[in-house]
Every structure is written in C-alpha cells, then in structure tokens.
Amino acid sequence: MPRRLSTEELQALGRLSTPTLSNAIETFDVRPHNEGFAGPEIRAVFPELGAMVGYACTLRVAADRPAPAGAGGVPLPYWSYVAGSPGPKVVVVQDLDAEPVGAFWGEVNANVHTGLGAVGTVTHGGVRDLDEMRQVGFRVFASAVLVSHAYVHVVDFGGPVQIGRLTVSPGDLICADQHGVLVVPPEIAPELGRVASEIERLEREIINCARGPAFTPERLAEVWTSAVSRWPVPGRRGAAPEAP
C-alpha cells in the first residue's frame, strides 16, 4: 500500500498549482489524461484562502425531501467516521438531488468539521453562510450558493462518491485551488512534488526565452528542444511540455 505523505510533502504539493500537478501526473502515464479532476462546475468559493490538500472523507446527502423515518437526528456515526480518519481531511460530499436544493455546508457545519480535523470540502451541492465560513478559514469547492438547508440529511458515508465527472474514494489525496479539484494517484504521490517542480523549472526556461530580448522562433525551437530532452520520467521524454 502506498505510504501517506508527511506534513512537509503535503505542504510542498500545496505550493504547486493544480495545473502544474496535472502536467506532472501525465508524465507518469498512470491514468488517461482526461480523468482524475473535477469539471468546471466545481469552483473555489474562497480562492483567496489558497490551496487545499488533504485525504478524502466521503459522504452522500439529500435535501429535496424529508429524511426517511429514523434516518434523521444527530449523525454521530458520521462524525465518528470523520474524527477517526487520518488527516488532514477533505470532506467530499455527493448531493443526490437532481440539482442542489439545500445546503449541507454553512457556518455550523464548517465549525463542526474544523473541530473534526477537516480543512475544507468538495461538494457537487451548494453552500451558504459565506462570510462565516470564510472567517473560519474553511476551504470550499462547490457548484452553487444557496439560501436554505431545506431537508438536508446524511444518506450514507465512507464509500465512493461521484462529483460530476470525478469519482472520489475514501482516502484519496485531494489537491484543489482556484483552478479546480484534482485527485493524486497514490502510487506516484511521493514523487509528484519533485517531478512537478522540475517541470516548472523547465517551462520557465521556455517562458524566459519568449520574454527575452533575443527572442526569435529559431531560438525558441532550440530552447524548447533542450527542455523537452530533459523532461522528467524516462517514458515521457520527447513529449512537448504543452502543445504550442
């Protein structure tokens, strides 16, 4: 089983943008390049709070109809699940309604989950109490902002969830920022920061060439070829850093 990353390694990933991490993941060829990230409907509600990195705790909720008899009340088993999961924790919530109707997330749940060790959430549903959640420093990636909690209730937790085009399982490593939400394959996580930093350095050579006073297409071709020849991960050397 792949090891969990240290606090220092997680912080290093948080200093890299999700596009940079996505570029680095592609060099390992561990999954198709059109998988592993959320769609554009999932947006950073508080981009000013910066990046979010943590391990997924998963939950499914519904709000359009009242909870079945006996299914409401205090969700102590769910709280215990989050409290007992290793951190830092990102709570990933699938909203089972056809479209978001009621917000699971607001001032109270942001504070409760901060106490349970969560640093933020990803949800296909909606959120509310924006000023209060921002004040807590709880990072939020969601598809909607709503007024009411309606009949919101916990349906189940601890299994795979679907956030639009992205499937998230408990324990998945989540990286999210102003660009969106990304799942890091566990088998490459320990090497990802190093490879992403190297890609950033090589791309900087190309950018510096383009901004330089001696820029010509011929000089760009020379610098581009040199950078590509040193691209990380042997199996991907020779691939362009980004399609021109």
Side-chain angles (χ1 to χ4, degrees):
M1 176 177 293
R3 67 173 177 84
R4 300 183 81 85
L5 301 190
S6 67
T7 299
E8 293 74 19
E9 288 172 317
L10 291 171
Q11 290 173 344
L13 291 182
R15 289 191 290 269
L16 296 162
S17 72
T18 51
T20 298
L21 294 174
S22 180
N23 287 347
I25 289 170
E26 290 176 3
T27 70
F28 289 89
D29 274 339
V30 293
R31 70 184 179 203
H33 297 181
N34 61 346
E35 295 181 4
F37 50 89
E41 73 279 8
I42 307 299
R43 299 180 297 275
V45 177
F46 308 126
E48 67 275 13
L49 294 181
M52 177 177 72
V53 180
Y55 291 98
C57 298
T58 58
L59 169 68
R60 298 199 304 170
V61 302
D64 201 23
R65 293 180 176 82
V74 176
L76 180 58
Y78 163 68
W79 289 341
S80 298
Y81 157 68
V82 177
S85 299
K89 308 162 195 179
V90 172
V91 182
V92 184
V93 184
Q94 179 179 351
D95 190 322
L96 295 174
D97 295 325
E99 62 180 12
V101 173
F104 177 80
W105 291 108
E107 179 182 12
V108 173
N109 260 332
N111 279 278
V112 166
H113 285 79
T114 297
L116 294 171
V119 297
T121 185
V122 177
T123 178
H124 203 257
V127 300
R128 63 180 190 162
D129 299 335
L130 300 189
D131 290 341
E132 294 84 354
M133 293 182 76
R134 183 188 294 108
Q135 186 175 13
V136 175
F138 198 74
R139 290 158 173 80
V140 176
F141 296 81
S143 69
V145 175
L146 300 171
V147 171
S148 174
H149 55 63
Y151 295 108
V152 74
H153 59 278
V154 172
V155 175
D156 55 30
F157 58 88
V161 294
Q162 198 69 34
I163 307 298
R165 67 193 308 279
L166 177 66
T167 301
V168 179
S169 295
D172 279 352
L173 178 56
I174 304 291
C175 293
D177 64 11
Q178 62 183 333
H179 303 96
V181 179
L182 180 70
V183 172
V184 174
E187 64 270 31
I188 66 170
E191 292 297 313
L192 187 60
R194 176 188 62 79
V195 172
S197 295
E198 178 65 9
I199 288 174
E200 235 182 13
R201 188 185 67 79
L202 292 170
E203 287 183 338
R204 186 55 50 187
E205 294 181 12
I206 296 170
I207 292 167
N208 288 342
C209 170
R211 291 178 174 177
F215 176 73
T216 65
E218 291 76 19
R219 175 60 179 157
L220 174 60
E222 179 182 328
V223 172
W224 188 289
T225 301
S226 174
V228 167
S229 71
R230 290 171 285 135
W231 215 242
V233 185
R236 291 286 293 169
R237 281 189 183 151
E242 185 176 301

